[in-house]
Amino acid sequence: MSDNYNIDDARFMDLAFSHAEEALQRGDLPVGAVVALDGQIVSASSNMNTSEKTWLSHAEQNALRTAGQRLRYEYEVNGRSGSLYSSLEPCVMCISHAIFCRISTIYFGGTDKKYSGISILDLGANDYYARLRPAIVGPTHQMRCEELFGFYQPKWPFDNLQEIK
């Protein structure tokens, strides 16, 4: 675990995992996310892709959208940027959203070969993204993440798509 991970980070990550467990109970992909600023929770959400029948209700998207509304889309408040906590390594769409929201640090609990995205990106390869690149801390809870995914049984037809040949 990183030296950049403290008691507040653990509290926010626990809340993200609580939201992931709620998603699992609904039959959604078990992912939860929290946006925090200055040690305070701004928003928290879970994945709702299956229950809302959309690809766009990722936990991180929902939490960032709510945080934007609450902060009036001023993620950089007095020069301070928020942090994103996700129970699972965010996908490419969610990491892009976080970058454009000027999130300063992304913490993630674990990785999954099918659903993760940060590790496939080289955020430093493009000068624009290098300038905006948040600090990445994780995985912080790999075993906990794997345990949640062990209980997940896809219910939405898109989760069961076969690889296109």
Side-chain angles (χ1 to χ4, degrees):
M1 197 167 307
S2 168
D3 292 339
N4 296 333
Y5 193 79
N6 62 42
I7 192 83
D8 280 338
D9 298 325
R11 182 170 56 98
F12 300 143
M13 188 61 77
D14 279 342
L15 181 57
F17 272 99
S18 293
H19 280 273
E21 290 163 2
E22 289 175 17
L24 180 64
Q25 294 298 317
R26 279 194 316 270
D28 281 298
L29 188 69
V31 181
V34 172
V35 174
L37 178 68
D38 291 339
Q40 300 295 314
I41 296 167
V42 179
S43 65
S45 189
S46 60
N47 185 297
M48 296 179 192
N49 283 0
T50 302
S51 56
E52 293 187 0
K53 303 278 191 267
T54 177
W55 291 104
L56 301 176
S57 279
H58 293 201
E60 300 91 346
Q61 295 285 341
N62 297 335
L64 288 164
R65 186 171 37 255
T66 300
Q69 292 164 348
R70 289 186 178 152
L71 296 173
R72 296 191 177 139
Y73 296 96
E74 295 178 24
Y75 290 94
E76 295 179 284
V77 179
N78 297 326
R80 297 175 325 277
S81 297
S83 296
L84 174 66
Y85 299 81
S86 180
S87 59
L88 179 70
E89 180 182 21
C91 72
V92 173
M93 176 178 67
C94 293
I95 187 66
S96 297
H97 191 171
I99 288 169
F100 287 110
C101 291
R102 304 300 195 263
I103 293 296
S104 63
T105 306
I106 298 172
Y107 298 87
F108 65 93
T111 61
D112 181 85
K113 290 178 184 173
K114 183 175 179 184
Y115 300 105
S116 295
I118 292 174
S119 57
I120 66 169
L121 297 177
D122 181 0
L123 298 177
N126 176 302
D127 288 341
Y128 181 74
Y129 287 109
R131 181 176 58 85
L132 299 174
R133 181 179 51 223
I136 307 292
V137 180
T140 61
H141 294 75
Q142 182 66 34
M143 289 176 57
R144 189 172 178 186
C145 189
E146 288 174 9
E147 181 179 309
L148 262 178
F149 273 81
F151 292 112
Y152 177 61
Q153 297 297 317
K155 292 185 178 135
W156 196 28
F158 294 118
D159 286 335
N160 294 318
L161 287 177
Q162 297 298 315
E163 195 172 313
I164 298 172
K165 296 181 183 203

